[in-house]
């Protein structure tokens, strides 16, 4: 996309593995490549955060990533909104009770740290997909906004177990 280079620093800081792993952890990198249409300065982000017990050591790293995201997004000039769900639910986290999506970085920093009492079956792709269906929580909240690019960022320390919920599909 013609806008990819303009916003590369935002996704680079969020996806930098040194921000989200503990020292000495084994990291498996996976890169998906796609072509996106430019959002004309509009960007919606859906963060899917692993809230299983194995994420206890990563909670601080997620907070640090939120800080890096803050400095990048605020300097980008983008009109942005951020929503957060977990790997075991499509329910939008909403500490300010304002509809689930926000451009308030302080709220995002709370929403992005869901704790560690979720399911040990990490199915972030499943719940991201479900939240984006016509009856999903993200869509019902009015997102992604018309004419806006959407980025889905999944933060987990485990491979996704999509087939556990999809019946092997």
């Amino acid at each position: 996309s013609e806008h990819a280079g303009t916003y590369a620093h935002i996704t680079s800081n969020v996806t930098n593995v040194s921000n989200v792993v503990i020292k000495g952890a084994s990291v498996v990198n996976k890169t998906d490549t796609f072509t996106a249409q430019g959002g004309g300065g509009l960007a919606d982000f859906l963060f899917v955060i692993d809230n299983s017990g194995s994420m206890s050591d990563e909670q601080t790293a997620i907070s640090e990533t939120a800080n890096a995201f803050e400095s990048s997004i605020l300097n980008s000039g983008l009109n942005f909104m951020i929503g957060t769900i977990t790997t075991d639910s499509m329910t939008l986290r909403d500490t300010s009770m304002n509809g689930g999506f926000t451009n308030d970085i302080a709220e995002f920093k709370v929403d992005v740290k869901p704790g560690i009492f979720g399911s040990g079956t990490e199915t972030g792709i499943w719940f991201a997909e479900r939240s984006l269906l016509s009856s999903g929580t993200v869509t019902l909240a009015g997102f992604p906004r018309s004419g806006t690019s959407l980025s889905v960022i999944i933060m987990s320390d485990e491979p996704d177990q999509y087939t556990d919920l999809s019946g092997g599909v």
Side-chain angles (χ1 to χ4, degrees):
S1 163
E2 63 187 89
H3 300 288
T6 305
Y7 305 117
H9 65 284
I10 294 170
T11 56
S12 174
N13 286 338
V14 171
T15 59
N16 181 338
V17 296
S18 66
N19 289 333
V20 293
V21 297
I22 58 173
K23 187 174 183 175
S26 175
V27 177
V28 176
N29 289 316
K30 180 174 183 206
T31 302
D32 293 327
T33 303
F34 58 93
T35 302
Q37 298 298 317
L42 301 172
D44 290 343
F45 296 90
L46 176 62
F47 280 80
V48 184
I49 308 298
D50 183 347
N51 60 332
S52 68
S54 66
M55 289 292 287
S56 62
D57 292 333
E58 284 82 4
Q59 294 293 307
T60 300
I62 287 174
S63 293
E64 291 168 5
T65 299
N67 290 333
F69 182 78
E70 173 185 25
S71 64
S72 293
I73 197 72
L74 292 178
N75 292 320
S76 71
L78 287 172
N79 175 335
F80 68 92
M81 295 296 285
I82 308 166
T84 307
I85 63 173
T86 61
T87 55
D88 68 351
S89 172
M90 71 172 172
T91 301
L92 284 163
R93 294 181 48 77
D94 188 10
T95 54
S96 294
M97 304 301 286
N98 59 359
F101 270 75
T102 187
N103 60 4
D104 178 348
I105 295 296
E107 180 180 355
F108 166 65
K109 287 181 177 181
V110 174
D111 288 346
V112 79
K113 201 170 172 187
I116 56 169
F117 299 104
S119 173
T121 303
E122 291 87 350
T123 49
I125 294 171
W126 172 266
F127 285 108
E129 180 181 78
R130 292 292 169 262
S131 74
L132 292 165
L133 293 174
S134 62
S135 61
T137 54
V138 170
T139 305
L140 292 175
F143 293 89
R145 297 171 290 167
S146 179
T148 303
S149 64
L150 173 68
S151 297
V152 178
I153 298 129
I154 301 175
M155 302 177 91
S156 177
D157 65 342
E158 300 286 340
D160 196 86
Q161 299 173 45
Y162 182 89
T163 55
D164 287 4
L165 293 179
S166 69
V169 178

